[in-house]
Amino acid sequence: MRGEHGGRGRRTARRELPWDQDNHPGSPELSEPQHQPAPQPSASTTATLDDRYGRTPGRARRTRLIGVVAAAAVALVFTVWVIWAGPGQTSHGLDTDDVGYEVVSAHRTVVHTQVSVDPGTTAKCAVQVLDKSYTIVGWKEIRVPASDQRTRSITTPVNTVSRGVTGLIHDCWVP
């Protein structure tokens, strides 16, 4: 068993050093007593701080005005978009299907497609031929005449600058 003066159970008095104390100049302990509540800022101090940091009534009104104008601009853009893309625009039931293609020669490919559009509606389509690196080597716009049938089979010969490996409809629209 160890005695009071040896080994692990020994206690030493803790000595406070000057840097362990928080009593340097400007510390709260030296400048103001802790038991008193902090003084409330006066109206002149608040006004000075507001001026310093830009919190003036004119600036608040300006910020509010900018927010209202920005919200109005967003609402206007949204309304214009709804009118432009909304119910006035119809697709006329336009749909396309690629049926196949036939490479006739190094400079000609025939593309077979089906175009479905509302009866009595004329459409235009862009037909393209691609080579093995997916580069467009042939392009042709065709007119799909109005008909009493919804679906029409279209055969389109397309001239190419080099040998194509596929032919298809790129896009169709109602003019």
Side-chain angles (χ1 to χ4, degrees), residues 66-157:
I66 289 170
V68 168
V69 168
V74 168
L76 178 67
V77 168
F78 179 73
T79 302
V80 168
W81 177 78
V82 166
I83 291 169
W84 174 76
Q89 300 277 332
T90 60
S91 67
H92 298 283
L94 189 59
D95 190 27
T96 63
D97 289 315
D98 295 317
V99 176
Y101 63 92
E102 179 183 349
V103 178
V104 178
S105 70
H107 297 289
R108 190 171 190 85
T109 301
V110 177
V111 180
H112 305 284
T113 58
Q114 283 187 337
V115 177
S116 299
V117 66
D118 291 342
T121 304
T122 302
K124 284 191 172 184
C125 294
V127 180
Q128 66 183 6
V129 177
L130 306 175
D131 67 3
K132 63 183 176 181
S133 63
Y134 303 105
T135 303
I136 298 172
V137 294
W139 179 275
K140 187 174 188 179
E141 281 190 18
I142 60 168
R143 183 178 175 273
V144 180
S147 173
D148 58 346
Q149 296 180 351
R150 176 163 167 65
T151 303
R152 300 148 204 166
S153 294
I154 308 290
T155 299
T156 308

